[in-house]
Amino acid sequence: MVFKVAVMSVSTRPKPYNKFISQYVETRKPDSYDGLVIEHIDLAEENLPAYNELISPKKMPRENPTSHYLHEHTRNWSAKVLQYDAFIIVTPQYNWSIPASLKNAIDYLCNEWRGKPVGLVTYGTRGGFRAANHLVEVLGGGLKMEVCESKVQLKITDESYEETQKLGRLSADRESAWKADGSEKAIEAMYSELLRKLEANQENQKFR
Ligand SMILES: Cc1cc2nc3c(=O)[nH]c(=O)nc-3n(C[C@H](O)[C@H](O)[C@H](O)COP(=O)(O)O)c2cc1C
């Protein structure tokens, strides 16, 4: 059985750190997990305006919500999210929370997210733990997503941002630091948990 997992980059500003961190996370999927097919969603390319639907996504039909939205951008976003069995959200911390772009993209939909497993990767000077805490509330609350316990909180600095931009990749020192502080292991644990949750969901569906 193959499960489709989207790694979501959520920063919409030019030259984000996000794309390098998403690549880092994608390349750390354990080789033995060939049942997980990783694809990439970049919110900067989705061009979603600030939420402007007429009817709450919660009121859309559970099985086929897509065609019921008012706007084409929402229908496109709904169709894209529906394709995936699970998500890994890679997000910076902005002002002690998550970026507006991420909250906006989440708010557009409901049943498309509901019940699906999700892994969280945050980054900031202290690993973005406040953004992670807020995301647990947002995703695990009304949307009832299955949030992985193993959270990845990557520490960055202004200098490491500049260095990454200059090199066009993460520096060996940055990767070594994340290995030393256990972040690399936390990513593996997150993948392992995602796979377990996906398999358990599949088993449950057989008995419905
Ligand atoms: C609007 C804004 C708010 C920020 N707030 C925080 C914060 O609360 N904590 C933190 O550690 N870093 C914060 N930063 C620094 C970001 O972690 C850093 O700029 C990082 O590169 C942002 O990721 P991005 O380049 O992928 O957008 C903030 C940056 C911006 C632009």
Side-chain angles (χ1 to χ4, degrees), residues 31-49:
D31 289 340
S32 57
Y33 294 3
D34 43 13
L36 293 184
V37 172
I38 305 294
E39 293 185 4
H40 189 222
I41 292 179
D42 186 349
L43 285 189
E45 290 171 11
E46 298 302 323
N47 280 322
L48 286 168

Side-chain angles (χ1 to χ4, degrees), residues 65-208:
T66 305
S67 62
H68 297 267
Y69 292 107
L70 181 62
H71 295 295
E72 191 181 4
H73 56 254
T74 319
R75 293 193 290 273
N76 291 341
W77 181 229
S78 166
K80 183 170 275 191
V81 169
L82 274 177
Q83 288 174 36
Y84 295 100
D85 302 302
F87 302 87
I88 296 174
I89 296 179
V90 181
T91 181
Q93 177 168 301
Y94 281 0
N95 292 317
W96 290 29
S97 186
I98 57 174
S101 55
L102 173 57
K103 183 63 165 52
N104 191 48
I106 293 169
D107 288 345
Y108 261 104
L109 309 177
C110 177
N111 294 316
E112 295 86 341
W113 303 115
R114 193 179 279 267
K116 293 181 180 174
V118 57
L120 307 184
V121 178
T122 57
Y123 54 95
T125 36
R126 294 170 67 195
F129 69 92
R130 289 187 170 90
N133 292 345
H134 286 175
L135 262 181
V136 171
E137 295 277 315
V138 172
L139 303 174
L143 296 172
K144 307 237 175 327
M145 293 187 83
E146 292 192 33
V147 184
C148 288
E149 298 267 318
S150 350
K151 295 183 189 58
V152 182
Q153 297 178 354
L154 302 169
K155 294 199 175 70
I156 59 163
T157 59
D158 288 346
E159 295 71 39
S160 74
Y161 171 83
E162 296 300 339
E163 189 180 44
T164 304
Q165 294 297 330
K166 219 183 287 170
L167 289 171
R169 59 174 169 76
L170 293 171
S171 70
D173 283 353
R174 184 59 19 205
E175 293 197 6
S176 302
W178 290 343
K179 192 170 187 167
D181 71 9
S183 298
E184 202 180 271
K185 281 253 170 300
I187 295 175
E188 275 176 36
M190 181 191 64
Y191 273 112
S192 155
E193 215 184 321
L194 264 191
L195 186 56
R196 268 187 281 123
K197 285 183 188 302
L198 282 163
E199 287 171 344
N201 279 358
Q202 196 192 25
E203 275 303 297
N204 289 341
Q205 278 187 350
K206 272 193 213 159
F207 295 107
R208 264 192 188 173

